[in-house]
């Protein structure tokens, strides 16, 4: 059986939009402190959907995550960007993950600090990722959301992603200690406008 290799892309380390900038995740301790402060301020909204944002998530975890982001980038497994406003203020993260060479596909994952949510910043971030990665040869981009996370599901729906199906009980929700269903949204390069 042929061993699957990662699709080695060369995405830009900085992508500038009209209201935001996406920057390659900074693996410094200072950035871990900044990221953790936003997680702490948003934990009540993040933890129901993102198990890693549990009350025990701390500075060491944030630092280790950023180190992992750097490793994934170097290996071509994932491209993790800090979402910042035009002044450089950290707002959250968006990642192009699970890059697959055979299928020219990837998944987008994201989170945004509560104080920046609901103002269209994440939609702009997804649009920037689409533009760059479709231009680099990706054919399919997927976004997975918990079926009950309406705010997160609004992002792909408003950007023209198609709901391809629901993965029944495919995710363990740590906050509720039970399995949850996951929406699978996707957009093909030919559907990108």
């Amino acid at each position: 059986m042929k061993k699957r290799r990662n699709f080695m892309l060369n995405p830009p380390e900085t992508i500038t939009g009209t209201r935001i900038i996406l920057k390659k995740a900074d693996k410094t301790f200072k950035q871990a402190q900044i990221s953790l402060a936003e997680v702490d301020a948003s934990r009540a909204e993040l933890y129901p959907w993102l198990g890693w944002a549990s009350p025990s998530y701390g500075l060491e975890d944030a630092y280790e995550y950023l180190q992992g982001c750097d490793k994934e980038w170097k290996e071509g497994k994932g491209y993790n960007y800090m979402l910042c406003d035009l002044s450089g203020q950290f707002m959250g993260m968006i990642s192009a993950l699970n890059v697959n060479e055979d299928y020219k596909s990837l998944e987008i994952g994201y989170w945004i600090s509560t104080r920046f949510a609901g103002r269209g910043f994440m939609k702009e971030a997804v649009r920037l990722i689409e533009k760059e990665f479709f231009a680099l040869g990706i054919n399919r981009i997927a976004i997975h959301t918990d079926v009950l996370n309406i705010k997160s599901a609004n992002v792909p729906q408003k950007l023209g992603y198609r709901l391809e199906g629901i993965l029944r009980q495919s995710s363990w929700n740590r906050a509720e200690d039970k399995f949850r269903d996951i929406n699978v949204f996707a957009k093909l390069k030919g559907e990108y406008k």
Side-chain angles (χ1 to χ4, degrees):
M1 185 172 178
K2 182 181 172 185
K3 185 178 178 183
R4 180 170 287 144
R5 298 182 324 262
N6 291 319
F7 184 41
M8 294 300 289
L9 303 172
N10 189 23
E13 293 187 7
T14 302
I15 306 169
T16 304
T18 57
R19 300 185 305 149
I20 61 169
I21 300 171
L22 305 182
K23 300 177 185 177
K24 179 181 175 184
D26 181 357
K27 63 179 182 173
T28 65
F29 189 75
K30 180 179 180 183
Q31 182 56 49
Q33 291 173 313
I34 293 167
S35 299
L36 180 60
E38 294 300 335
V39 170
D40 283 342
S42 305
R43 201 175 301 271
E45 292 80 22
L46 295 175
Y47 184 50
W49 318 114
L50 302 170
W52 59 263
S54 71
S56 66
Y57 183 84
L59 187 55
E60 186 175 310
D61 300 304
Y63 183 68
E64 187 176 298
Y65 168 73
L66 293 173
Q67 297 301 306
C69 288
D70 187 61
K71 183 178 184 219
E72 284 184 350
W73 192 294
K74 289 176 181 173
E75 295 174 351
K77 292 180 180 177
Y79 303 95
N80 303 282
Y81 290 93
M82 300 181 303
L83 170 59
C84 303
D85 66 15
L86 294 179
S87 73
Q89 182 176 16
F90 178 80
M91 302 164 71
M93 296 288 295
I94 184 166
S95 304
L97 305 166
N98 301 321
V99 178
N100 186 296
E101 176 183 8
D102 294 333
Y103 302 119
K104 307 288 188 274
S105 66
L106 59 81
E107 296 175 29
I108 293 177
Y110 47 77
W111 68 269
I112 193 165
S113 177
T114 302
R115 64 192 180 117
F116 299 109
R119 300 192 306 204
F121 293 119
M122 194 54 72
K123 286 190 304 184
E124 183 176 350
V126 171
R127 282 189 196 113
L128 292 172
I129 293 290
E130 287 177 346
K131 180 180 179 183
E132 292 298 331
F133 284 86
F134 280 141
L136 290 170
I138 291 297
N139 184 59
R140 181 178 186 276
I141 296 176
I143 297 175
H144 295 186
T145 68
D146 187 298
V147 295
L148 299 178
N149 190 345
I150 304 303
K151 291 179 182 179
S152 187
N154 282 340
V155 174
Q157 289 173 334
K158 289 180 179 179
L159 293 174
Y161 281 70
R162 293 186 187 181
L163 178 62
E164 293 185 333
I166 295 174
L167 302 173
R168 297 178 306 136
Q169 296 186 5
S170 69
S171 180
W172 181 256
N173 185 288
R174 288 175 58 187
E176 294 186 359
D177 199 31
K178 68 179 185 178
F179 287 104
R180 297 290 285 274
D181 295 346
I182 299 296
N183 292 319
V184 178
F185 295 98
K187 183 184 281 188
L188 303 178
K189 186 175 184 176
E191 297 166 342
Y192 173 71
K193 297 175 186 174

